[in-house]
Amino acid sequence: MAITETDDQMMTRVATSYLPKFETVEEERRHRKERLAAGFRLFGKFGFDEGVAGHITARDPEHLDHFWVNPFGMSFKHIRVSDLILVNRDGDVVEGNAAVNAAAFAIHSQVHEARPDVIAAAHSHSLHGKAWSSLGRLLDPLTQDACAFYEDHALFDDFTGVVLDLEEGKRIAHALGDHKAAILRNHGLLTVGHSVDEAVWWFITMERTCQAQLLAEAAGTPVHISPESARHTSTQVGSHVAGWFSFSPLYATIVREQPDLLE
Ligand SMILES: [Zn+2]
């Protein structure tokens, strides 16, 4: 029999075979929290922190209107599984001994509510994401990696100060629509995923995509990938499975470097 499997079919098959299955909700919760703590350590390692700004959330697998998030004011570089706090739909911390960032609640509660498919959402004031956001433009398909966002990200074209109001969180969720990411003008990036792995990966690669476009446009006039090729490439690098799988080597690296994150 001839082997006719394409690269992306192989990637989907390989990745799907590794998709985690859980016997209990406790196991699934633990898994999500480990990914979440690893996501924070990676954000810290890549310098995505800016003072106390930034948050990644993971929906609880049992209480679907609750999410796990970082304690307000704790360095991304120090967060362990046991430091994560659980917040309910009213913004109360129902597990853990720390406060929740009001902006994290305002934005993430509305995104999780508007998008039942979303397990995780990530936002921070990473340098290239916020620099790009000030241009008030969507990203162009300049590289293979950028195609993950082709016709799959939105611009929240408004800035009125720190997001503390649920109504503003709602408007951000509305701008996001059914996309994987949004550029919050004059603020930074927001990404979502069907797994923590995916949301964190989209954030990391979107930040680098912003950097790549800033570099390319500073140096000259970049050549755009054609709409047909960009659309095709987005099916290869922009799927939920591709996002999930792309996070694997980063997770393995950070757990080996900083095993205390699992405590
Ligand atoms: Zn912010």
Side-chain angles (χ1 to χ4, degrees), residues 30 34 37 41 79-83 258-263:
R30 175 74 200 180
E34 289 177 353
R41 295 295 182 102
I79 293 176
R80 300 164 301 174
V81 169
S82 55
D83 294 313
Q258 303 178 24
D260 65 301
L261 75 88
L262 297 176
E263 289 170 7

Side-chain angles (χ1 to χ4, degrees), residues 4 12 18 43 72 80 84 91-92 99 106 121 130 159 173 186 189 191 195 202 233 245 247:
T4 55
T12 301
Y18 284 96
F43 271 36
F72 192 25
R80 300 164 301 174
L84 298 169
D92 305 317
K130 67 181 165 187
F159 180 80
N186 304 108
L189 308 178
T191 60
S195 57
W202 296 141
T233 307
F245 192 47
F247 181 73

Side-chain angles (χ1 to χ4, degrees), residues 39-232:
F40 284 118
R41 295 295 182 102
L42 287 163
F43 271 36
K45 183 181 164 85
F46 294 141
F48 295 170
D49 46 344
E50 180 82 24
V52 299
H55 10 91
I56 315 173
T57 52
R59 191 190 294 281
D60 187 75
E62 182 179 14
H63 308 290
L64 300 181
D65 58 356
H66 290 41
F67 57 77
W68 295 91
V69 67
N70 44 318
F72 192 25
M74 186 171 193
S75 169
F76 293 166
K77 298 185 177 90
H78 297 162
I79 293 176
R80 300 164 301 174
V81 169
S82 55
D83 294 313
L84 298 169
I85 59 173
L86 182 64
V87 177
N88 70 12
R89 60 171 301 143
D90 299 320
D92 305 317
V93 176
V94 295
E95 211 174 310
N97 289 320
V100 59
N101 180 340
F105 180 68
I107 299 173
H108 292 245
S109 68
Q110 299 311 305
V111 168
H112 281 287
E113 186 162 321
R115 289 281 300 275
D117 63 307
V118 160
I119 297 299
H123 164 71
S124 87
H125 299 179
S126 57
L127 184 60
H128 303 96
K130 67 181 165 187
W132 179 261
S133 80
S134 72
L135 302 178
R137 291 167 56 196
L138 291 173
L139 289 160
D140 292 316
L142 301 189
T143 63
Q144 178 176 308
D145 299 325
C147 291
F149 301 99
Y150 187 68
E151 296 177 335
D152 198 15
H153 71 298
L155 176 66
F156 179 64
D157 199 11
D158 192 9
F159 180 80
T160 55
V162 178
V163 183
L164 297 173
D165 178 5
L166 288 183
E167 280 310 309
E168 179 140 22
K170 264 194 185 71
R171 293 199 295 124
I172 289 173
H174 183 258
L176 173 67
D178 59 2
H179 298 307
K180 66 162 63 84
I183 295 165
L184 313 181
R185 179 165 61 73
N186 304 108
H187 185 174
L189 308 178
L190 171 73
T191 60
V192 299
H194 287 184
S195 57
V196 174
D197 315 50
E198 196 193 331
V200 172
W201 169 252
W202 296 141
F203 194 96
I204 292 168
T205 192
M206 192 179 197
E207 159 69 16
R208 290 177 175 173
T209 296
C210 292
Q211 183 176 11
Q213 184 153 359
L214 288 165
L215 283 170
E217 291 188 351
T221 307
V223 176
H224 288 214
I225 296 170
S226 73
E228 302 72 42
S229 294
R231 210 165 284 133
H232 173 61

